[in-house]
């Protein structure tokens, strides 16, 4: 019974889409990715800035935390679905690595290239505005990547079977 409901759920989400990966599914996958990336990115930027670190260590921390929280959100879901830790880690790596990498490349590229952004302190509105704009630009850039992966049965299409 549960498998039939799951099959119906999968069919409902993929019916009428090219290659099994429509824009709605890609947007949901990218929002999922953005959530983990934003948590890690903001936390890393806040910690690095608060500690007075230079740009490179702050960016490294932000990127590492973005990957950590991105993978952690996926792990939480697939572990809850009953997968063992090793299998869940493989699913998270397969589903999220390219998406997080693109998001982080674009996001941090915007921050690094924005004049004064890396020098802005936590109390400076520039810090927060650029961070928000960078995440929005990264979302727009990453959504087509997720659509492409899902349409080929990769990325969040791998995770979808465990929902």
């Amino acid at each position: 019974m549960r498998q039939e409901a799951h099959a119906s759920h999968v069919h409902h989400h993929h019916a009428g889409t090219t290659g099994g990966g429509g824009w709605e599914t890609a947007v949901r996958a990218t929002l999922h990715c953005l959530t983990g990336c934003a948590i890690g990115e903001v936390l890393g930027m806040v910690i690095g800035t608060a500690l007075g670190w230079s740009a490179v260590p702050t960016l490294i921390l932000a990127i590492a935390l973005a990957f950590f929280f991105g993978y952690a959100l996926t792990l939480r879901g697939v572990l809850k679905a009953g997968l063992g830790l090793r299998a869940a880690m493989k699913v998270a790596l397969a589903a999220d690595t390219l998406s997080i990498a693109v998001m982080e490349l674009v996001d941090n590229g915007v921050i690094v290239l924005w004049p004064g952004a890396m020098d802005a302190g936590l109390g400076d509105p520039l810090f927060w505005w650029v961070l928000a704009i960078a995440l929005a630009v990264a979302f727009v850039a990453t959504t087509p990547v997720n659509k492409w992966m899902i349409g080929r049965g990769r990325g969040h299409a791998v995770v979808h079977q465990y929902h």
Side-chain angles (χ1 to χ4, degrees), residues 10-22:
V10 171
H11 177 73
H12 169 74
H13 280 292
H14 294 293
T17 60
T18 305

Side-chain angles (χ1 to χ4, degrees), residues 78-128:
V78 293
L79 286 170
K80 189 176 176 181
L83 233 55
L85 182 60
R86 176 172 267 168
M89 289 176 68
K90 287 180 182 180
V91 168
L93 288 170
D96 293 336
T97 300
L98 182 59
S99 182
I100 295 171
V102 170
M103 188 160 287
E104 286 304 297
L105 179 66
V106 173
D107 169 34
N108 287 290
V110 169
I111 292 169
V112 168
L113 295 175
W114 197 291
M118 287 304 300
D119 297 322
L122 296 176
D124 187 339
L126 179 66
F127 175 90
W128 298 102

Side-chain angles (χ1 to χ4, degrees), residues 11-106:
H11 177 73
H12 169 74
H13 280 292
H14 294 293
T17 60
T18 305
W23 285 107
E24 182 182 336
T25 304
V27 166
R28 278 195 313 268
T30 308
L31 284 172
H32 173 90
C33 179
L34 179 67
T35 301
C37 287
I39 292 168
E41 187 75 27
V42 170
L43 187 58
M45 289 291 182
V46 166
I47 291 170
T49 301
L51 294 175
W53 290 359
S54 65
V56 173
T58 299
L59 289 173
I60 290 170
L61 178 62
I63 292 167
L65 290 175
F67 272 92
F68 173 80
F69 283 101
Y71 289 139
L73 287 179
T74 297
L75 278 172
R76 184 190 69 183
V78 293
L79 286 170
K80 189 176 176 181
L83 233 55
L85 182 60
R86 176 172 267 168
M89 289 176 68
K90 287 180 182 180
V91 168
L93 288 170
D96 293 336
T97 300
L98 182 59
S99 182
I100 295 171
V102 170
M103 188 160 287
E104 286 304 297
L105 179 66
V106 173

